[in-house]
Amino acid sequence: MPVIRNSARAFIAALIVLVIFHGIMSVLGLGVFLANKLEPPSPDRAFQIFVTRVAVDAVLLAAGHWLLRSFGLATRMVYGLMGGAAAAVGYAFALSQDLNIAPALDGTHLTASILPIIVGMISATLYAQFAGREMLRGRHGDTAIADAALTPAIPANFDGPVQVRTSMAATAIASMVPAALVALITIPFVTFFLTQWDTGGSQNPAWANQISQMALPAYFFMATLLATAIPSAIIVSVTHAAARAFRRTAGMDYAIIGAVVGVIACVALLMLFPTPLLALVVVAAAIMGAAYRRFAGIEPLALPEAVLATDPAALVGEHDAARRTRAVIMNG
């Protein structure tokens, strides 16, 4: 039966997503203390919470992968659901063990779990994509032989027509590109130009100053993500639809089509926000198109749909003489 392979490379890719997410949330949590003029947790305590959260999610992801392999489930949708469930369990464990730098407010525990669950789904889906599939031999010899006889042979190579997959996970990842660009622009700005921060009389000004330098890019990332996630997803979807319409599958093609879609979006936005900064939309759209192509993957074109026929006489070709002439039946 087909299962998702054990792959250290794919697990590292999934782990990077978790590390980035928990890193951003940890920095934002530390920033809450400075905003409220409170003493933040020590660097050791903050690092301990960060490592524990990442380790718990990584263990749950590995356990979910082992469980799905045991049941022979190898679809990306199943892995996405598993990742969301694993993230939910990790979030509940963190709440029970007080592993949050800045705990969620009362009455927001359920809504605060939405973002970790989405990140967990993306992480598990990436693992399934990067790891690939393999055929797992059955535990019992007879069953394995019977399954092998019923399963059609899979060719080692494929030279037929392909298309880029429609992937929600790839759309979500590509939609983060504008927020990532804003964060990358902000990091050197706060590092080299804004070096003095009002730490509110903290007992450890150096640590508070480092938190401030890390928190500003994280805040800009989250604010930009919330503001641009849906428009970016629309741009990615239009880019993907246009690329499919023109039968384009290369990453460069997706980048070019994304840039064209970005130009169209800029023309529309210029009527509302006349600013030269909209040129960055074209760059972001091109990167989003290439990122979507990278994470979506390709699939073979679907075969023609089966025809439901009730009259055997109608099963003739398009240019058959029967379709150009009509039989005459005398009525009366």
Side-chain angles (χ1 to χ4, degrees), residues 1 136-148:
M1 57 182 176
L136 185 64
R137 181 174 298 178
R139 297 180 180 178
H140 304 287
D142 297 339
T143 304
I145 295 175
D147 292 342

Side-chain angles (χ1 to χ4, degrees), residues 230-266:
I230 295 179
S232 298
I234 294 174
I235 291 177
V236 171
S237 300
V238 172
T239 300
H240 175 54
R244 271 200 171 185
F246 289 103
R247 300 292 181 89
R248 314 306 298 180
T249 59
M252 183 60 67
D253 296 335
Y254 265 74
I256 294 174
I257 295 175
V260 173
V261 175
V263 170
I264 298 174
C266 284

Side-chain angles (χ1 to χ4, degrees), residues 21 84 87-88 91-92 95 104 108-120:
F21 168 71
Y91 174 77
L95 286 179
T108 63
H109 289 163
L110 289 179
T111 53
S113 67
I114 295 176
L115 188 57
I117 290 175
I118 294 176
V119 173

Side-chain angles (χ1 to χ4, degrees), residues 50-326:
F50 166 73
V51 172
T52 304
R53 292 294 301 271
V54 173
V56 169
D57 285 353
V59 170
L60 290 173
L61 179 63
H65 166 62
W66 174 82
L67 190 63
L68 293 183
R69 276 181 62 94
S70 301
F71 286 98
L73 301 175
T75 63
R76 299 183 188 183
M77 180 177 293
V78 172
Y79 265 76
L81 295 176
M82 179 273 293
V89 173
Y91 174 77
F93 177 80
L95 286 179
S96 63
Q97 300 298 320
D98 194 21
L99 293 175
N100 292 293
I101 294 180
L105 300 176
D106 293 338
T108 63
H109 289 163
L110 289 179
T111 53
S113 67
I114 295 176
L115 188 57
I117 290 175
I118 294 176
V119 173
M121 295 176 67
I122 294 174
S123 177
T125 303
L126 285 180
Y127 178 85
Q129 176 175 341
F130 289 161
R133 293 175 174 83
E134 65 180 358
M135 295 301 297
L136 185 64
R137 181 174 298 178
R139 297 180 180 178
H140 304 287
D142 297 339
T143 304
I145 295 175
D147 292 342
L150 296 176
T151 303
I154 300 176
N157 300 303
F158 177 73
D159 59 353
V162 296
Q163 64 182 5
V164 178
R165 295 178 61 254
T166 299
S167 172
M168 294 181 61
T171 302
I173 294 173
S175 300
M176 298 179 186
V177 168
L181 291 178
V182 170
L184 291 176
I185 294 173
T186 308
I187 289 174
F189 180 75
V190 300
T191 302
F192 297 105
F193 297 100
L194 300 179
T195 57
Q196 298 297 327
W197 301 83
D198 181 13
T199 57
S202 172
Q203 298 178 5
N204 191 346
W207 172 230
N209 190 63
Q210 292 177 359
I211 293 175
S212 300
Q213 291 182 349
M214 293 185 296
L216 189 59
Y219 275 118
F220 271 102
F221 175 85
M222 293 302 297
T224 307
L225 181 63
L226 293 176
T228 63
I230 295 179
S232 298
I234 294 174
I235 291 177
V236 171
S237 300
V238 172
T239 300
H240 175 54
R244 271 200 171 185
F246 289 103
R247 300 292 181 89
R248 314 306 298 180
T249 59
M252 183 60 67
D253 296 335
Y254 265 74
I256 294 174
I257 295 175
V260 173
V261 175
V263 170
I264 298 174
C266 284
V267 172
L269 291 175
L270 279 175
M271 302 177 183
L272 302 175
F273 309 102
T275 171
L277 292 178
L278 289 177
L280 295 176
V281 175
V282 180
V283 178
I287 298 176
M288 285 191 292
Y292 178 87
R293 170 61 186 88
R294 175 63 183 87
F295 291 104
I298 58 176
E299 63 184 1
L301 285 176
L303 296 176
E305 184 179 358
V307 177
L308 300 178
T310 57
D311 183 9
L315 299 176
V316 295
E318 179 181 0
H319 302 289
D320 191 271
R323 295 196 177 276
R324 297 194 298 269
T325 59
R326 293 180 174 86

